[in-house]
């Protein structure tokens, strides 16, 4: 978090340090480290951070960064996010730069390659107990319930009083109707995120 923030705003090291400390001490992230069970997580993180540190303004730097991001994805699937992060950073810094389109193209290419090798499975197979939303029959129900799940995660990020919300063991009711009031919260959340992103993009020259 600190690395990404300082890369976008190199002149604001204080803001980057505050973001890093907040990320480190937030109760919601205390459980995330439990998923680091082997070398795959650590190697993916190392390659991804190195890719962000590379100077991507030149062709050699772009090639090296792309190689590091792809190496991270070979260690663990989440490493592919490095290509998306690099695309967003380069787009925010200079919309006329072509590097972000190249990273986005490599991301799609990596997804297609993974699909050709592994088939339609892009992750582990969950049972109904582990992820009951996945086994809902109708797609709108799954989509609305996942949207509500995103809101629950955001609420925990802002006010982490109860950290037990998860998608397993049917910990909350699925959203089956489009008239469910929980959909209003989800829509408001997505619109707010979109507006914040647009404002940040328009004011990128003032960073």
């Amino acid at each position: 978090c600190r690395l990404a923030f300082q890369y976008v705003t190199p002149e604001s090291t204080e803001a980057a340090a505050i973001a890093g400390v907040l990320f480190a001490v937030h109760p919601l992230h205390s459980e995330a480290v439990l998923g680091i069970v082997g070398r795959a997580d650590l190697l993916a993180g190392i390659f991804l951070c190195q890719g962000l540190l590379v100077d991507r303004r030149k062709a050699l730097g772009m090639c090296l960064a792309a190689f590091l991001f792809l190496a991270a994805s070979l260690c663990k699937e989440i490493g592919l996010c490095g290509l998306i992060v690099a695309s967003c950073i380069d787009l925010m810094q200079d919309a006329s730069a072509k590097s972000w389109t190249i990273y986005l193209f490599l991301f799609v290419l990596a997804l297609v390659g993974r699909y050709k090798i592994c088939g339609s499975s892009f992750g582990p197979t969950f049972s109904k107990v582990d992820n009951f939303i996945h086994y809902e029959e109708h797609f709108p129900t799954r989509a609305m319930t996942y949207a509500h799940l995103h809101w629950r995660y955001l609420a925990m990020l802002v006010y982490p009083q109860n950290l037990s919300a998860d998608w397993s063991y049917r910990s909350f009711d699925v959203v089956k109707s489009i008239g469910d009031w929980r959909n209003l919260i989800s829509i408001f959340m997505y619109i707010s995120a979109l507006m914040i992103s647009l404002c940040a993009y328009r004011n990128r020259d003032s960073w």
Side-chain angles (χ1 to χ4, degrees):
C1 184
R2 183 184 185 279
L3 172 65
F5 206 116
Q6 187 168 350
Y7 194 96
V8 176
T9 57
E11 72 284 351
S12 181
T13 57
E14 295 82 2
I18 293 174
V21 171
L22 180 61
F23 183 89
V25 302
H26 197 285
L28 192 62
H29 299 141
S30 61
E31 186 181 357
V33 295
L34 298 178
I36 303 178
V37 294
R39 289 174 290 181
D41 303 87
L42 299 177
L43 287 173
I46 290 173
F47 284 131
L48 194 149
C49 290
Q50 287 178 338
L52 291 176
L53 286 172
V54 169
D55 186 1
R56 302 191 301 275
R57 289 174 295 181
K58 299 180 180 179
L60 181 60
M62 288 178 56
C63 294
L64 181 57
F67 171 79
L68 290 170
F69 292 142
L70 292 176
S73 67
L74 292 176
C75 297
K76 198 161 187 178
E77 296 83 354
I78 195 66
L80 283 176
C81 292
L83 294 168
I84 298 298
V85 173
S87 299
C88 293
I89 291 176
D90 290 358
L91 179 61
M92 297 291 286
Q93 288 183 333
D94 185 7
S96 62
K98 303 298 182 182
S99 57
W100 70 273
T101 58
I102 296 175
Y103 292 129
L104 192 61
F105 172 76
L106 287 175
F107 176 77
V108 175
L109 191 65
L111 285 181
V112 173
R114 178 173 174 79
Y115 178 80
K116 293 293 185 181
I117 296 173
C118 303
S120 60
S121 177
F122 282 86
T125 301
F126 294 102
S127 66
K128 191 172 183 178
V129 176
D130 296 327
N131 186 355
F132 68 92
I133 305 175
H134 176 74
Y135 288 90
E136 287 294 326
E137 180 179 0
H138 302 292
F139 173 77
T141 300
R142 295 197 302 270
M144 291 185 294
T145 306
Y146 275 126
H148 175 65
L149 180 63
H150 295 163
W151 159 253
R152 293 174 71 93
Y153 283 151
L154 178 61
M156 285 192 295
L157 187 64
V158 176
Y159 186 59
Q161 181 183 17
N162 186 357
L163 301 180
S164 63
D166 200 354
W167 55 63
S168 60
Y169 292 99
R170 210 173 188 90
S171 58
F172 60 91
D173 295 331
V174 297
V175 182
K176 295 184 177 181
S177 172
I178 196 173
D180 195 311
W181 65 270
R182 291 176 292 180
N183 288 324
L184 295 177
I185 301 178
S186 302
I187 294 173
F188 174 77
M189 175 189 64
Y190 288 129
I191 292 178
S192 299
L194 179 61
M195 295 300 295
I196 292 173
S197 300
L198 290 175
C199 289
Y201 178 75
R202 291 177 179 176
N203 297 308
R204 65 187 184 281
D205 294 333
S206 62
W207 292 356

